[in-house]
Amino acid sequence: MLRLIGLVAVVLCAFAANSILNRLALTGDDAGPVGFAAVRVTSGAVALLIIARFAGQPLAFRSRKRVVSSAGLLLYLLGFSFAYLMLDAGLGALILFGGVQVIMFATAVAVGEQPPLLRWFGMGIGLVGLVWLLAPGGDDDVPVWGTLLMCVAAVGWAAYTLVGRGAVAPIGETASAFLAAAPVALFAWVLSGEGLGLTATGWALAMTSGVVTSGMGYALWYALLPQMDTTIAGLAQLLVPVIAVVAGGVLLSEVVTLAMVLAGGLVLAGVALGTLSGRAAPAGRR
């Protein structure tokens, strides 16, 4: 159990780092949103292909699941990049993973999982914290278009995550999704009118996001998903915006208010309750 918790913590930090890397590249004019996404997914695809070969895991392109997975990955990558033209790293991660949590919890209930009462309570506490963070008050309004774009990214990431729960060869299947998404992302980059030039910093940020915090991070996430039920996977991801808020304050000088700290504590409490409440009963059982 401790090993699983440690590995999940590594993955969640990687997910939060994606927000920081993307935001850094865009605010510094080192990359455009489509260019960053294209380099991110392409470099991740190359790294995952090498890892899959060494691990002896086959690629899987001819699959209906792979189409859904790749489409979800593209939706997430592009929505994520464009949203960070308008959102701070912590706020963007909050909207993304709050939306993912809601979608995954609702999907789990819809397909017959029966989360225990304490997990429902944990989800409620976590959502209260998220709403508090999303509407901190004052004169700073949350950008509407940025919020909508990050919600689109949340739909894509939830689809990608839910399909990934059934992965037999997680590294090979993750590599397949990245390899299928990369040509589409590169074509979108050519059509975007951004130009093909990134600064050296932009290339470094995008490739770090692609190879390390996306490719390797997602491969590990896929490998861990079968050890967790859907509701716990969704609850665990609520920790990502908390990590991103702290990292955004330290690395990007984004404002971290007392409300953010207190609301983050509610999120942590909700995750703890949901995680410690035991496994959900399958359909037809209590």
Side-chain angles (χ1 to χ4, degrees):
M1 177 60 72
L2 288 177
R3 179 176 179 274
L4 175 61
I5 292 173
L7 290 173
V8 169
V10 169
V11 172
L12 298 182
C13 287
F15 291 166
N18 279 322
S19 294
I20 302 299
L21 294 167
N22 205 327
R23 184 69 174 156
L24 275 172
L26 296 179
T27 57
D29 293 325
D30 292 301
V34 183
F36 186 95
V39 174
R40 179 183 175 187
V41 70
T42 303
S43 59
V46 173
L48 283 164
L49 177 61
I50 295 170
I51 294 169
R53 292 303 187 193
F54 274 104
Q57 293 197 13
L59 302 180
F61 291 109
R62 298 179 181 179
S63 162
R64 185 177 300 176
K65 283 187 175 181
R66 196 57 46 233
V67 173
V68 175
S69 180
S70 299
L73 180 61
L74 278 169
L75 199 62
Y76 155 71
L77 287 168
L78 292 172
F80 187 85
S81 280
F82 275 104
Y84 273 129
L85 289 171
M86 293 162 266
L87 300 176
D88 285 348
L91 179 60
L94 158 70
I95 296 169
L96 174 67
F97 287 97
V100 168
Q101 192 270 349
V102 171
I103 294 168
M104 290 185 67
F105 198 98
T107 301
V109 173
V111 300
E113 285 189 21
Q114 298 171 9
L117 182 61
L118 192 58
R119 191 170 301 160
W120 282 96
F121 187 53
M123 183 196 72
I125 291 176
L127 285 177
V128 167
L130 289 172
V131 170
W132 188 359
L133 277 169
L134 191 58
D139 298 326
D140 296 328
D141 293 328
V142 176
V144 174
W145 282 109
T147 299
L148 290 175
L149 285 166
M150 197 59 86
C151 287
V152 169
V155 172
W157 176 249
Y160 179 80
T161 300
L162 289 167
V163 170
R165 292 188 73 236
V168 176
I171 297 176
E173 295 190 29
T174 306
S176 300
F178 269 66
L179 286 164
V184 181
L186 290 170
F187 185 62
W189 187 14
V190 173
L191 294 180
S192 69
E194 288 182 6
L196 301 182
L198 279 71
T199 68
T201 300
W203 280 102
L205 292 170
M207 292 182 71
T208 300
S209 180
V211 174
V212 181
T213 58
S214 294
M216 295 180 182
Y218 296 178
L220 181 57
W221 182 241
Y222 257 175
L224 296 176
L225 280 173
Q227 302 176 52
M228 302 180 284
D229 63 47
T230 305
T231 50
I232 284 184
L235 282 165
Q237 290 181 81
L238 285 176
L239 290 170
V240 175
V242 178
I243 299 169
V245 165
V246 174
V250 173
L251 300 175
L252 302 175
S253 299
E254 296 176 356
V255 176
V256 180
T257 65
L258 178 61
M260 288 183 176
V261 174
L262 295 176
L266 283 179
V267 172
L268 288 169
V271 171
L273 280 174
T275 302
L276 297 175
S277 61
R279 295 187 62 83
R285 295 177 58 186
R286 295 201 180 266

